[in-house]
Amino acid sequence: MTAPLIERGRCNAAPGYLPGFSQSVLLAELGVTDAALAEDRLAALDEALRPLLAAPATALPLRTANAEQRVVERIAQVVTALLRDAELPLFDAPAVVARHAAHGRFTIAVPIIDRAQRAAERALGWVVRWVNADAADAAAAGVLRTELPALREQVQRAAPRGMNTAFFLQAAHEVGMPWRRVVGNMFQFGWGARSRWFDSAFTEQTSNISTRLARDKSATLTVLRQAGLPVPAHGRVEDADAAERLAQRLGFPVVVKPADLDGGRGVAAGLATPQAVRAAFERARALSANVLVEKHIAGNDYRLHVFQGQVIFALHRVPGGVTGDGVATVDTLLARLNAEPLRGEADSRALLKRIALDEEALELLREQELTPDGVP
């Protein structure tokens, strides 16, 4: 049996921060037996990953002319790129932190977050197996490529949930504020008595009662109405028949949405037909047992961000869509829009999302007497 090009040694997570790092790291010992062949296989890996990663594993300036050290530095860079692609908040560059007496043996440091050691070890193992696989064996390379989606999913389980946490961690890094993961999606910012615990945008000072009210849309509407604020007429419904009857009573257009979810999940607005209401009810019911039908109120959608009683900024949320030019089809216009580099998938942290031609979108097209291959 041919000796492996890369030999893996011990792996462990460093508690606290190593010199030169602002977050935890995975320390891994690697040995290189054939640097020239390993570099060739890493180049092939770069080529294979380029179309698969949102942020390719861009090579950083390598710090040495030593061929074996170049190989382990490049492995550390590729592992870091895989972890970042799976949305781990990594702000430091990987590095070689020790060169051992044995020829070709080094310790690399790959930035990670707390509780992500196993995810990082999986990514490292995948890269090492790629380099050790026979480059002439297309089947072996193909098997490794098919493993990549499962690897990304495994790493994502260790990533913070939602957009807020990642942005807060990045802001803390930029101002030099230490942080650590406490448990789950809860992070500590700063040390000692002045530290704060965050779970997304919630802190230990967030009102429990207000939060519970905000997560129950029916209760929120009741409290707002009691305070004299205008709210749309609405009601909870148990099935599609009840949803259709309530929509008829309220008058079209209406909105159907889960009563206890956030982030716009399951919300369908501007519904103008009984068929659209029934379909929207089924989509909302698949996400929650509590479904609301309410009168649609036309207008702009704003999200206000409030901190300690003051509005910090306002966000104008614009519905997704395309504008016709009389030449291109809806499909073509949508492909152009979704190709914009600032757009990401619906479950990503990108502020702009790619638009899917789902059932709701197709219904909106039908209302305008259009199809995906029509020219608006």
Side-chain angles (χ1 to χ4, degrees), residues 145-208:
R145 272 197 296 272
T146 61
E147 292 176 0
L148 194 57
L151 171 66
R152 189 178 193 276
E153 183 178 339
Q154 290 171 342
V155 176
Q156 269 191 316
R157 293 176 194 152
R161 297 190 303 272
M163 296 176 61
N164 292 327
T165 301
F167 288 144
F168 288 150
L169 293 175
Q170 182 175 350
H173 171 75
E174 289 173 355
V175 300
M177 179 185 294
W179 54 270
R180 71 178 185 94
R181 184 181 233 158
V182 179
V183 65
N185 203 52
M186 190 178 299
F187 287 79
Q188 177 179 316
F189 291 79
W191 298 143
R194 295 190 179 183
S195 64
R196 287 288 178 265
W197 285 13
F198 278 70
D199 183 346
S200 184
F202 295 90
T203 77
E204 74 277 10
Q205 298 181 347
T206 303
S207 167
N208 178 266

Side-chain angles (χ1 to χ4, degrees), residues 32-363:
V32 182
T33 60
D34 188 332
L37 186 52
E39 286 191 294
D40 287 344
R41 294 190 182 176
L42 280 167
L45 176 57
D46 285 341
E47 192 66 29
L49 287 177
R50 189 168 293 113
L52 302 176
L53 298 185
T58 304
L60 299 173
L62 298 178
R63 301 165 184 168
T64 178
N66 180 282
E68 288 83 6
Q69 185 165 339
R70 284 202 308 270
V71 168
V72 295
E73 282 192 15
R74 188 67 188 125
I75 288 173
Q77 291 171 3
V78 175
V79 172
T80 302
L82 289 171
L83 299 178
R84 284 183 176 138
D85 184 68
E87 300 184 342
L88 285 191
L90 308 182
F91 308 114
D92 296 325
V96 174
V97 294
R99 182 174 181 177
H100 303 288
H103 177 71
R105 298 198 72 83
F106 304 86
T107 296
I108 60 171
V110 174
I112 59 172
I113 61 174
D114 303 291
R115 321 266 191 280
Q117 176 182 348
R118 292 182 63 188
E121 287 186 26
R122 289 190 185 103
L124 174 63
W126 186 87
V127 174
V128 169
R129 283 191 296 116
W130 175 283
V131 177
N132 285 337
D134 184 353
D137 187 350
V143 168
L144 283 167
R145 272 197 296 272
T146 61
E147 292 176 0
L148 194 57
L151 171 66
R152 189 178 193 276
E153 183 178 339
Q154 290 171 342
V155 176
Q156 269 191 316
R157 293 176 194 152
R161 297 190 303 272
M163 296 176 61
N164 292 327
T165 301
F167 288 144
F168 288 150
L169 293 175
Q170 182 175 350
H173 171 75
E174 289 173 355
V175 300
M177 179 185 294
W179 54 270
R180 71 178 185 94
R181 184 181 233 158
V182 179
V183 65
N185 203 52
M186 190 178 299
F187 287 79
Q188 177 179 316
F189 291 79
W191 298 143
R194 295 190 179 183
S195 64
R196 287 288 178 265
W197 285 13
F198 278 70
D199 183 346
S200 184
F202 295 90
T203 77
E204 74 277 10
Q205 298 181 347
T206 303
S207 167
N208 178 266
I209 291 178
S210 297
T211 300
R212 284 158 53 196
L213 277 174
R215 285 184 166 169
D216 183 334
K217 294 180 175 66
S218 181
T220 299
L221 291 168
T222 298
V223 171
L224 292 176
R225 184 182 293 109
Q226 290 174 352
L229 296 171
V231 297
H234 69 283
R236 292 197 186 212
V237 291
E238 298 295 327
D239 53 41
D241 291 337
E244 181 181 339
R245 288 195 300 271
L246 181 54
Q248 297 279 12
R249 189 161 70 250
L250 295 176
F252 294 104
V254 297
V255 177
V256 173
K257 58 187 176 183
D260 50 6
L261 296 179
D262 56 14
R265 287 176 295 169
V267 176
L271 303 175
T273 66
Q275 295 80 6
V277 169
R278 298 181 74 91
F281 173 84
E282 297 300 338
R283 291 195 296 270
R285 187 59 181 267
L287 299 173
S288 170
N290 302 306
V291 179
L292 285 182
V293 177
E294 65 183 25
K295 181 66 178 174
H296 178 92
I297 305 297
N300 292 330
D301 180 2
Y302 296 99
R303 173 168 288 190
L304 305 181
H305 292 252
V306 180
F307 177 68
Q308 294 185 349
Q310 292 188 334
V311 176
I312 304 302
F313 67 91
L315 196 67
H316 181 195
R317 305 173 77 190
V318 181
V322 295
T323 301
D325 59 7
V327 177
T329 65
V330 171
D331 270 335
T332 301
L333 293 168
L334 197 55
R336 289 177 190 166
L337 186 78
N338 287 336
E340 294 175 353
L342 292 179
R343 291 188 180 272
E345 296 302 324
D347 59 351
S348 74
R349 298 192 183 106
L351 289 176
L352 297 176
K353 310 298 184 185
R354 296 190 181 103
I355 300 173
L357 270 178
D358 55 16
E359 186 54 42
E360 184 182 5
L362 293 172
E363 176 64 27

